[in-house]
Each structure stands twice: as C-alpha cells, then as structure tokens.
Amino acid sequence: MIAELVAVGTEILLGNIVNTNSAYLSEQMAQLGLSVYYETVVGDNHDRMKAVIASALDRSDVVILSGGLGPTEDDLTKEVCAEVMGLPLEEDPHSRKRIERYMKEYEKNHPDRRITTNNYKQAQVPKGALVIDNHNGTAPGLILEKDGKTAILLPGPPNELIPMFEESVFPYLRKKQPEIICSQVVKICGIGESQVAADIQDMIEAQTNPTLAPYAKTGEVHLRITAKGEDEKECKKLIKPVVRELKRRFGKNIFALEAEKTLEESVVDMLRDQGLTLALAESCTGGAIAARIVNVPGASQVFTHGFVTYSNRAKRKCLGVKKSTLKTEGAVSAKCAKEMAKGGCANSDADICLSITGLAGPDGGTKETPVGTVFMGCCYNGQTITREYHFTGNRTKIRQQAVASALVLLRECIMEGIEKND
C-alpha cells in the first residue's frame, strides 16, 4: 500500500517553522510497512492545495495531511480536501460539544480574552468522515474514505498530531496493512563510505527481501537492513543472516547494532568494561571531543580530565610539551601530539590519553602544513602512537571530522590493548 504525506502551511515554506511532522510520519509509515514515494509541502492557497491533494489521491492509496485545520480563513485543508473528494461539509454535534467544553475551560483560565465564533468552524466535517477526537486541542482529526482512497487529516502542532496518530491513526492503518516493516542498523567506523559500498555491492545487487542500504555520517557509515513480513518475528528471522554476514565482512569496525547507540557510547562502554580511565588533551577541537564523551550517561565513571591547551604556553604548562619541540617541530606536529598524550596521562593518572593538535583554518596554513592538517596521539600501556590526518572543508567541517576520527582512533587503541591483554 502506498502512502503520501502533505504538509500544509505557508509558514513552513517561509522557513518560520521546521517541518518535523513529515519526518515523524515517514518513520511511522515505515513501521507500518507502507511505501512512501512522495512528500509535499504546500502553502495556504486554495488552488495549489487542490492540485496537490488531487495528485496525491490519484497516485497513492493513503494521503496524510498535516496542518490547516484551525479556525482562521487560511486554514483550508478540510474544505479543499472535501471539495476534491466530493464530500459536503456538515456540523458534527460531538465535535461541537467538545469545542464548547474546551472554550469554557479556556475562558476560565483567560477571563480577559474573548472567544470568537470562528472556533466552531472546526466542528464542520465532511459527510461520512470518521472523526478523531483531539485531546490536546480543538481541531479534530478526520479520516475520509471514497472510491478506495483514504485521506487522513491531522492538526499541525506536533503535540496534537503525535498523540492523535498513535492513539487512533496507527491502529486504523495497521488493520489495513497486513505486512509490517522492521529494520536493523549496523554502524561502522574506521572505513570510508566508498569502501563499505564496494564491499557490500554483491549483497545489494542480490537483495530482494530484506534490503540493504548505506548511509554516510561524519566518520561513520550506517547500514540499514529492512525486512518486510507478516510480523516482527518473521522480519527478525530475515534480518539475522544479513547481520551475520556483515559481521563477518567488517568485524571489529562494527561499533553498534542499535540505531540509538553512538560512537562515543561504544567508547565509554569499552572503557567501563575494561575498568580504564580516560583523559583528553585537545587543542584545535577546543574540548569538542570531551563534549561528545560527557554526553554519554555514566561517563563520569571513566572520564577524569579534559585539558584544552589551545596556546603553546598551555601545552607546556599543563601537559609538559617541551619548548624545543614547539620551536623546532611546531605545535602542529606528530612530536607535539605525542608529548601532549604522554603529558595528559602523567598529569591525570588516567590509563589512556588521547591528544589532538591541528590547523582548522581558515588561516595559518603553509605549503608544508596546510589547513586541515591534524595530528593525534594516544598514550596507553606505556606506549604512545601518533597519526597524521588531512581533512578538507571549512573550519567547522574540519573540526567535526577531527572529532569523529579521534573517537575512532581512541576506540582502536582500546581494542588493541584488549587484544594484547588477551
């Protein structure tokens, strides 16, 4: 069954509000097993709305519209949809009573405000519509069915739309759709998107059900396995061998099998499992790596110190970087990163310290050390390694890539230490 989403509101087109409803509804359609091929935003204009709704109903089985159900003249969704489907409007006594009750309560709380009669416009519904009570506002939701097509009208505010969808619309659509869709995410780090894509090309070419799709993030590649089946148990059975094969191909580069788990969470979990403490010595990232770490609940169990040594003086004073190193090699060098990492461990008594120093730009680069050059060091088990990176983009992008790569390096160092201990 094909579903289509239409978000109504000129304020969305102007950028005054962000259209979060379509993202939420898309996710719900996937869970229900409905295919979504089109999502549209249309302003509060009768003719354009009419054309959009007519096209949507022509090519899709279910059209879900959000917004435009309020009491003002530019709230036209219900009127235009009824016109397209050839359904006359009539007052719904039940909705009228609910609106009256809501307004009386509103007057009690706001005695200085006048209740206008245009609020009762919301009690007008297309003939034969299934009315959905709004427990968080005045505009009821509506389900219209005609000639095998269904239009579902929902209020725009997310705090009204989401409860209404979950309480009434999801069960309604679930009965119409015999199959469900389940998905599993496999998260990979330390390998680029192009390499991952090449390594799974044969799986993608042979796929039917389930399907496999890569999604790139800064420093990560996510693989989403999606299966369609009669129930969740069948879907999981289809997904399981694909996950097994991905584990065989990517091994320790897989850091998570849950959509919610982040790279920093996997690092904190590894530190906690091994009973290790962490210190960070940052220069060009200015504490951004530490910010990612402390976003993880329970990070205080493993994270002890964060040194932000932006100046050369701070590198010398807080981390013991040698003056000669800064003079001969420079702050952006492998030797400086090595001494930062060793000094971070020595001055914090942490088991492991990761350091980072580099040029995020836009100025300061040279032919020998261009903008985007970043050095990292990791001190663990009495040994210190360094890595050199070259990132591209603006200052923000370079710093984001550096933070992601630092977390990957930190994870690799912990894993290497675990393997040596074993």
Side-chain angles (χ1 to χ4, degrees):
M1 191 158 63
I2 299 172
E4 186 161 341
L5 307 179
V6 178
V8 178
T10 302
E11 67 274 15
I12 301 174
L13 293 173
L14 293 174
N16 294 332
I17 65 169
V18 177
N19 177 22
T20 59
N21 287 336
S22 291
Y24 167 78
L25 291 170
S26 291
E27 186 177 10
Q28 297 302 311
M29 295 303 102
Q31 288 187 25
L32 286 161
L34 275 70
S35 300
V36 176
Y37 299 148
Y38 296 93
E39 292 183 7
T40 307
V41 177
V42 62
D44 303 302
N45 175 276
H46 175 278
D47 293 344
R48 287 191 286 273
M49 286 176 62
K50 186 176 179 180
V52 165
I53 293 171
S55 295
L57 286 169
D58 181 59
R59 64 193 173 202
S60 302
D61 304 301
V62 177
V63 179
I64 302 180
L65 300 105
S66 59
L69 298 181
T72 61
E73 287 187 9
D74 63 346
D75 289 311
L76 299 169
T77 303
K78 173 178 56 184
E79 289 77 5
V80 176
C81 198
E83 181 183 340
V84 172
M85 299 184 78
L87 300 171
L89 293 174
E90 58 185 19
E91 185 173 272
D92 175 42
H94 173 73
S95 295
R96 171 88 185 197
K97 287 179 181 178
R98 288 184 60 85
I99 293 169
E100 285 177 345
R101 188 161 56 246
Y102 186 96
M103 291 303 167
K104 285 178 181 177
E105 290 298 320
Y106 182 86
E107 278 186 319
K108 287 180 184 178
N109 296 324
H110 306 85
D112 56 328
R113 298 188 183 181
R114 181 170 59 90
I115 302 301
T116 55
T117 56
N118 62 354
N119 285 282
Y120 298 109
K121 166 181 180 280
Q122 296 168 110
Q124 295 287 320
V125 305
K127 187 174 182 179
L130 174 62
V131 178
I132 307 171
D133 288 341
N134 186 344
H135 302 296
N136 301 284
T138 54
L142 299 165
I143 298 178
L144 317 180
E145 295 179 328
K146 188 175 181 181
D147 300 330
K149 302 287 185 173
T150 301
I152 301 174
L153 285 57
L154 300 173
N159 63 347
E160 297 179 30
L161 179 145
I162 293 173
M164 187 180 290
F165 184 90
E166 293 177 352
E167 292 167 13
S168 302
V169 179
F170 190 98
Y172 168 84
L173 291 173
R174 185 70 188 88
K175 291 177 182 178
K176 284 181 163 288
Q177 178 66 6
E179 290 184 313
I180 68 166
I181 287 179
C182 293
S183 63
Q184 164 88 54
V185 172
V186 175
K187 295 187 176 183
I188 297 169
C189 66
I191 307 177
E193 180 191 11
S194 58
Q195 182 181 337
V196 171
D199 288 347
I200 62 170
Q201 186 61 37
D202 61 316
M203 297 176 70
I204 291 176
E205 289 176 353
Q207 68 186 4
T208 51
N209 182 30
T211 59
L212 179 63
Y215 301 91
K217 290 190 67 179
T218 302
E220 305 173 21
V221 180
H222 297 180
L223 300 176
R224 182 175 293 276
I225 310 154
T226 305
K228 184 178 288 189
E230 291 184 1
D231 52 33
E232 186 177 356
K233 185 178 180 181
E234 182 183 349
C235 290
K236 286 184 176 180
K237 187 177 179 181
L238 291 166
I239 289 170
K240 190 174 181 179
V242 181
V243 174
R244 189 187 306 119
E245 177 61 20
L246 292 174
K247 284 181 177 179
R248 187 187 70 79
R249 296 190 184 199
F250 297 107
K252 63 183 181 181
N253 292 105
I254 295 174
F255 69 87
L257 298 176
E258 304 87 29
E260 300 79 17
K261 190 163 187 176
T262 63
L263 180 55
E264 53 266 32
E265 282 180 306
S266 76
V267 170
V268 169
D269 285 348
M270 291 174 71
L271 289 166
R272 187 188 295 114
D273 292 344
Q274 297 301 310
L276 299 173
T277 54
L278 169 70
L280 295 168
E282 300 184 60
S283 182
C284 61
T285 48
I289 305 169
R292 289 273 295 264
I293 292 292
V294 299
N295 273 340
V296 181
S300 59
Q301 297 175 36
V302 298
F303 183 45
T304 64
H305 290 69
F307 301 95
V308 179
T309 55
Y310 211 63
S311 68
N312 285 357
R313 183 184 177 192
K315 290 178 177 67
R316 289 180 7 236
K317 185 176 180 180
C318 300
L319 299 172
V321 176
K322 295 175 183 177
K323 192 173 183 179
S324 59
T325 297
L326 295 169
K327 186 176 181 180
T328 59
E329 303 288 335
V332 182
S333 65
K335 193 170 183 181
C336 181
K338 185 175 183 178
E339 292 179 9
M340 286 172 67
K342 291 176 69 175
C345 271
N347 293 334
S348 67
D349 289 326
D351 298 303
I352 184 168
C353 179
L354 184 130
S355 67
I356 183 166
T357 180
L359 285 172
D363 304 316
T366 65
K367 185 177 180 181
E368 293 76 20
T369 310
V371 167
T373 302
V374 175
F375 290 90
M376 299 183 200
C378 190
C379 181
Y380 180 35
N381 281 341
Q383 294 185 332
T384 306
I385 64 163
T386 59
R387 295 270 180 88
E388 181 178 350
Y389 300 82
H390 294 274
F391 303 116
T392 58
N394 60 23
R395 181 179 178 84
T396 299
K397 186 66 175 176
I398 288 170
R399 293 177 74 244
Q400 288 173 343
Q401 293 174 84
V403 170
S405 295
L407 291 170
V408 173
L409 176 59
L410 180 55
R411 180 176 176 272
E412 289 176 359
C413 289
I414 298 168
M415 292 182 69
E416 187 175 329
I418 294 170
E419 291 170 358
K420 284 183 178 177
N421 291 335
D422 289 344

